[in-house]
Amino acid sequence: MRKKTTTVKVGNVLIGGGNPIVVQSMTNTDTTDVIATVKQCAELSQAGSELVRITVNTEEAAQAVPKIRTQLEKMNLDVPLVGDFHFNGHKLLSKYPDCAQALEKYRINPGNIGRGHSRDDKFAQLIDIAVQNDKAVRIGVNWGSLDQELMARMMDDNNHLSKPRETTDVMHDALITSALDSARAAEKQGLAHNKIILSCKMSGVQDLIKVYQDLSERCDYALHLGLTEAGMGSKGIVSSTSALAILLQQGIGDTIRISLTPEPGEPRTKEVQVALEILQALELRTFTPTVIACPGCGRTSSDTFQHLAKDIQHYLKTSMPKWQSQYPGVENLNVAVMGCVVNGPGESKHADIGISLPGNGEKPVAPVYEDGVKTVTLKGDRIAEEFQTVVTKYIERHYG
């Protein structure tokens, strides 16, 4: 059961209010390099990112934003752009109104705007610009850049209690307090309730879970989920999945980003792929047909099933851009590629379409099952090509 939150419109995307959970990502190009940034925005959008955030940290970056927007529109890509502002966002948005208009959402961190009255003035200036341009704002509080004045005050109050709380608990509360106080200040400044998204991002899995559970109980703002620095490779994927799966299963979260550190040479789109797979594994959204494949064991006589599973998965994924309009609902398809007789026939029968390849000592034939019924037996050297044809014909019949 999804927690009830307010719907926020960001360009053509609806976040919160029971709408599908939105996937977003962020470029790592120099924003002043318009060509490189447009290319990466396009790659992320085509991979499935429904919002793309870009760094806006200098005057040159602010001047590049409208050019990036224009180039994306020429490519017929209307993915909303989010501006990531720290320290000087109030100056950049004021000086470059074209930048303020080209972005669909501003991401600001209360801990990085300034201190005391200076912070209040800069924050108010940012909110005024959002109101004038009818833009949404994500108030993103981070563990690593928490308002130190607020933290010191709350720690001091805690020390005067007869039974002081643990420091970690006070820090969790400070994150939430900073986000909620800033949201109230934004509303007082004139920003509509349905223009605000909140996040309280941390690097620890258990910390993130606890903070978002508490935050969701204390407000109805749309919430952005993600570890602030998940890490690299399997560590980042596992940490992100562990934290987000628990929160999403509890109905908490309206938009997600997986902040992976890319391996050298690895595409930025990997973080989008992980986000899509988390949502699909939890059956919250479907994006592409699912390929079920066994891990292999001593009973599997070769790596044929591994190559077949990889080829079929690639074929389905690369065909989806065309199939989405041609075959509505095809993303719900389940395909099984199994390596021997132990679970092969049974798993294949449970899938929409499945193949059970021969294992050690089995006859060199591969029965194919469609909707639980064996329809054909493949054999010879062209099993992979023939099975792909069978899958294509199944899709044409059932989704055409």
Side-chain angles (χ1 to χ4, degrees):
M1 185 72 178
R2 293 277 299 279
K3 299 279 186 179
K4 186 177 180 181
T5 57
T6 301
T7 301
V8 180
K9 193 171 188 292
V10 181
N12 58 352
V13 176
L14 296 177
I15 299 174
N19 290 289
I21 295 164
V22 172
V23 173
Q24 59 179 282
S25 55
M26 184 176 182
T27 60
N28 60 357
T29 57
D30 181 346
T31 306
T32 61
D33 187 339
V34 173
I35 294 175
T37 304
V38 167
K39 182 175 181 289
Q40 193 171 85
C41 285
E43 290 170 348
L44 292 168
S45 174
Q46 290 160 356
S49 183
E50 292 153 309
L51 298 178
V52 175
R53 181 157 47 112
I54 59 179
T55 299
V56 188
N57 58 336
T58 64
E59 292 195 15
E60 292 77 14
Q63 289 172 300
V65 171
K67 300 173 185 177
I68 294 166
R69 177 74 275 162
T70 298
Q71 290 301 315
L72 289 171
E73 289 171 355
K74 287 180 179 179
M75 298 166 67
N76 293 318
L77 290 174
D78 59 354
V79 58
L81 296 179
V82 180
D84 191 69
F85 294 100
H86 295 274
F87 310 113
N88 60 351
H90 61 295
K91 291 182 179 179
L92 297 176
L93 288 171
S94 297
K95 188 170 182 178
Y96 299 100
D98 288 348
C99 170
Q101 187 56 46
L103 298 167
E104 293 296 345
K105 186 175 74 167
Y106 310 151
R107 189 275 191 188
I108 59 178
N109 182 344
N112 283 340
I113 294 179
R115 294 185 176 184
H117 292 302
S118 171
R119 177 182 59 240
D120 296 342
D121 292 342
K122 294 173 183 177
F123 182 81
Q125 192 174 346
L126 275 165
I127 298 303
D128 280 343
I129 295 168
V131 172
Q132 292 164 14
N133 288 279
D134 194 30
K135 303 299 183 180
V137 173
R138 171 159 74 94
I139 296 172
V141 182
N142 269 27
W143 176 281
S145 52
L146 182 59
D147 178 352
Q148 292 304 303
E149 293 176 3
L150 173 65
M151 185 63 193
R153 186 171 68 250
M154 294 184 68
M155 285 297 296
D156 188 55
D157 291 342
N158 183 62
N159 291 335
H160 286 87
L161 296 175
S162 57
K163 293 184 177 180
R165 296 185 295 164
E166 294 289 335
T167 300
T168 301
D169 292 335
V170 179
M171 189 172 288
H172 289 176
D173 197 25
L175 281 162
I176 296 171
T177 299
S178 177
L180 293 178
D181 285 354
S182 298
R184 295 186 192 103
E187 289 196 58
K188 188 176 180 181
Q189 194 69 26
L191 188 65
H193 191 81
N194 65 353
K195 289 290 185 181
I196 298 173
I197 297 171
L198 296 187
S199 67
C200 290
K201 298 179 81 171
M202 312 173 79
S203 297
V205 171
Q206 295 294 348
D207 292 315
L208 192 84
I209 293 169
K210 180 66 168 63
V211 164
Y212 273 93
Q213 287 172 335
D214 291 347
L215 179 61
S216 70
E217 291 295 325
R218 293 171 61 174
C219 72
D220 69 346
Y221 294 109
L223 300 181
H224 169 99
L225 298 188
L227 291 170
T228 186
E229 288 103 11
M232 182 180 285
S234 60
K235 185 270 178 188
I237 294 172
V238 171
S239 296
S240 294
T241 304
S242 300
L244 268 60
I246 291 172
L247 291 168
L248 292 169
Q249 187 68 17
Q250 294 174 355
I252 299 169
D254 302 289
T255 177
I256 65 172
R257 188 215 168 182
I258 309 301
S259 300
L260 294 181
T261 304
E263 301 275 2
E266 186 177 56
R268 190 66 163 178
T269 52
K270 182 65 175 289
E271 67 175 46
V272 180
Q273 178 188 345
V274 173
L276 300 180
E277 290 179 0
I278 289 173
L279 294 179
Q280 183 147 335
L282 291 170
E283 299 181 4
L284 294 171
R285 293 185 67 179
T286 51
F287 302 96
T288 189
T290 299
V291 176
I292 302 160
C294 71
C297 67
R299 297 184 184 88
T300 51
S301 58
S302 70
D303 61 0
T304 301
F305 78 96
Q306 295 167 308
H307 289 291
L308 180 55
K310 182 179 179 181
D311 290 346
I312 284 294
Q313 188 160 286
H314 177 74
Y315 172 64
L316 295 172
K317 184 177 180 180
T318 56
S319 298
M320 276 305 293
K322 179 180 69 176
W323 285 351
Q324 279 177 326
S325 58
Q326 191 174 1
Y327 302 118
V330 69
E331 65 273 10
N332 298 305
L333 178 72
N334 284 300
V335 180
V337 179
M338 306 302 292
C340 77
V341 75
V342 174
N343 289 323
E347 195 72 57
S348 297
K349 289 176 184 177
H350 286 304
D352 296 314
I353 182 168
I355 185 170
S356 179
L357 295 167
N360 293 327
E362 297 176 27
K363 292 181 181 180
V365 296
V368 174
Y369 298 83
E370 299 180 39
D371 298 321
V373 178
K374 186 167 79 170
T375 57
V376 66
T377 299
L378 305 180
K379 53 188 174 181
D381 298 328
R382 301 189 71 252
I383 286 179
E385 295 91 331
E386 291 174 3
F387 182 60
Q388 184 169 303
T389 300
V390 172
V391 171
T392 302
K393 290 181 177 178
Y394 180 95
I395 290 169
E396 291 171 348
R397 287 197 309 274
H398 287 75
Y399 300 100

